[in-house]
Amino acid sequence: MNPKGCMILELPKVTDTRGNLSFLEAGRHIPFDIKRIFYLYGVPTGQMRAAHALKTCEQVLIAMSGSFDVIVDDGSRKDGFHLDRPDCGLYVPPLAWREINNFSAGSVCLVIASEFYAETDYLDEYSEFSRTVGGTKT
């Protein structure tokens, strides 16, 4: 069972002889208004990104190129997702711990966020996250 609220979003894909085109629209394919977009790239082999939870920000992660794994934990359930298609994304709700690892060479992780960056929105210590959500794991 997926962590609470976490889900794979299938994005539209238009294919013809010229190649593929995918698109996304806020409120239609992305379940929130988009306030920030950023991307991770050039991640060295063996490095992990994220390792935090966000108090209010919702995110969608998309593998624009290459692949990577995302571990999501809601304090009670933990699951892993392998992202390797630019026509699907992983919705990560607020108060979900996430770790991104196993980046393939040349991979690009696009992150679409519901909030502007705010350092105070981050829970960077797992113990603090667990206390916040009343998790059953330590």
Side-chain angles (χ1 to χ4, degrees):
M1 168 119 11
N2 290 343
K4 186 178 180 180
C6 196
M7 67 181 124
I8 294 292
L9 304 175
E10 294 290 332
L11 302 173
K13 179 179 176 181
V14 180
T15 302
D16 67 24
T17 56
R18 301 169 294 168
N20 302 323
L21 179 145
S22 287
F23 59 95
L24 50 92
E25 297 171 351
R28 191 168 191 188
H29 308 108
I30 303 300
F32 51 78
D33 288 333
I34 298 167
K35 292 195 178 163
R36 181 169 50 118
I37 296 173
F38 62 95
Y39 42 96
L40 307 171
Y41 61 98
V43 179
T45 301
Q47 290 298 306
M48 179 174 56
R49 296 297 310 241
H52 62 257
L54 298 166
K55 297 173 190 172
T56 61
C57 187
E58 302 170 77
Q59 293 184 333
V60 173
L61 285 65
I62 301 172
M64 298 304 291
S65 179
S67 65
F68 49 85
D69 295 329
V70 183
I71 306 299
V72 183
D73 178 347
D74 66 7
S76 298
R77 293 179 301 249
K78 187 181 211 179
D79 203 357
F81 300 87
H82 181 73
L83 298 180
D84 62 357
R85 294 175 33 209
D87 62 337
C88 74
L90 175 63
Y91 172 75
V92 182
L95 294 176
W97 185 267
R98 79 284 318 268
E99 297 175 355
I100 310 170
N101 57 30
N102 295 326
F103 287 86
S104 68
S107 62
V108 177
C109 172
L110 179 72
V111 182
I112 301 164
S114 67
E115 304 297 329
F116 297 118
Y117 174 78
E119 186 176 345
T120 57
D121 196 39
Y122 283 72
L123 296 168
D124 291 321
E125 297 293 330
Y126 189 85
S127 58
E128 180 185 9
F129 159 73
S130 187
R131 282 191 306 276
T132 301
V133 298
T136 56
K137 295 186 275 184
T138 57

